Amino acid sequence: MGAPAAFCAPAGRGLALRGGAAVASATARRHARVAAAPGARRAPRMDAAGTDFDDVARRLAEELGAPAADAGDKDEGAGAENVSVGPGNGGLMRVSMKHAASNQEVEVYTLGATVTTWKARGDDVLWVSKENKWDGAKPIRAGIPLCFPQFGPGPLAQHGFARLATWEVVFAGTLDDGSVQTVMTISDKTDNDVIREWGHAFTAEYAVTLSPTGLETSLRVVNTGTAAFDFTAAFHNYFAVTNVSEARVFGIEGLPYADRLNDGASGTEAADGGAGYLVDKAVDKLYSGAPEELAAFDFGALKVIKIKKSASLPDATVWNPFGEGGCDGGWKNFLCVEPAAAADKVVLEAGEEWLGAQLLGVE
């Protein structure tokens, strides 16, 4: 079964995300001041229906207790010095961005377009595995790996090719509102064996934006071919926690799920009395119909991580291996809460596009 038609739109006409955390259109309302390459363009912030992301951002800022920049205001301290492109760990290319006004930093590697670091108020919000080799031979296990066009196991490599491919940086700079952003792309022309194995004509554009409200990531997929294709996708968020057994997830109470550790057995998440879901054993559940807003609470750090996701990501996964199955030795220090379109495949007809987005904030 494909995604509802509301999640798909002809390329170039924009994509309406009803109640989502981010929206896009083919024409940007603002232009960036600093670009990494000629012809680079920013990711737009308004959809064809007129839904304004700045409005959504302000609302989240109020919830997080952080000041929201007015749409017309600029951070005069932001500029080229806050965005750099160069080698990172193992010599792999990365984009580093700072948003001084809100004391945030982010790093995005071109390998997998992987967000590896997001610091808010000086604290690392995302987890990075100490077992990474940083040699380009394997996906980076850290931060926010992209799962596309396959979430989990299947005919392609685990979680698809997005996290395996080297993405092209088409923009890295400061926007007129003071936000900093990078945009990376891949397509069926990208040199990657798994992309060739998939065999469909497409382009994918990934935008990572820092603003006073937090970290926004958005993935846009366009079917550039003549035949339909389907896919699943997710933002595989690794949130850093003091101890996963002292962390809780909010927003999944009463939701139907597929237990991926039990051959996909279906169930309904028990009532938690407002106390949240406690991770006290290995968990890998895919929840259908997840609400627009989710949250994770780290009791050890007294930190709340809020997730606002677009309606085009109707599902969410909660995952931690809890030391089982030869897992990463750092399992106690991460909790994955992942907005996804995975319970049902998204179907894109020729010329259609899809956008999935999330906005992360910390309090």
Side-chain angles (χ1 to χ4, degrees), residues 1-9 15 17 147-151 198 200 219-223 228-234 311-315 340-349 352-356:
M1 175 179 169
F7 298 159
C8 305
L15 185 66
L17 301 182
C147 302
F148 172 82
Q150 173 185 295
F151 178 61
W198 194 47
H200 298 291
L219 175 66
R220 175 175 172 263
V221 179
V222 181
N223 182 341
F229 61 72
D230 59 51
F231 65 88
T232 53
S312 52
L313 296 167
D315 312 313
D344 294 320
K345 293 180 178 180
V346 177
V347 177
L348 280 189
E349 299 292 338
E352 287 186 334
E353 68 177 44
W354 173 92
L355 179 82

Side-chain angles (χ1 to χ4, degrees), residues 50-75:
T51 306
D52 191 345
F53 173 69
D54 291 317
D55 239 14
V56 179
R58 285 190 192 94
R59 283 190 278 117
L60 180 59
E62 290 171 2
E63 294 169 11
L64 296 175
D70 187 76
D73 290 347
K74 297 180 182 180
D75 174 9

Side-chain angles (χ1 to χ4, degrees), residues 252-255 257 268-273 277 285:
I252 59 175
E253 180 180 13
L255 293 181
Y257 64 79
T268 300
E269 196 55 63
D272 58 34
Y277 177 87
K285 293 179 178 179

Side-chain angles (χ1 to χ4, degrees), residues 46-106:
M46 176 173 280
D47 73 355
T51 306
D52 191 345
F53 173 69
D54 291 317
D55 239 14
V56 179
R58 285 190 192 94
R59 283 190 278 117
L60 180 59
E62 290 171 2
E63 294 169 11
L64 296 175
D70 187 76
D73 290 347
K74 297 180 182 180
D75 174 9
E76 298 300 335
E81 68 275 9
N82 286 336
V83 180
S84 63
V85 181
N89 291 321
L92 299 176
M93 294 302 294
R94 71 180 175 192
V95 178
S96 300
M97 302 190 296
K98 296 181 180 180
H99 190 267
S102 60
N103 193 17
Q104 294 181 90
E105 300 178 22
V106 69

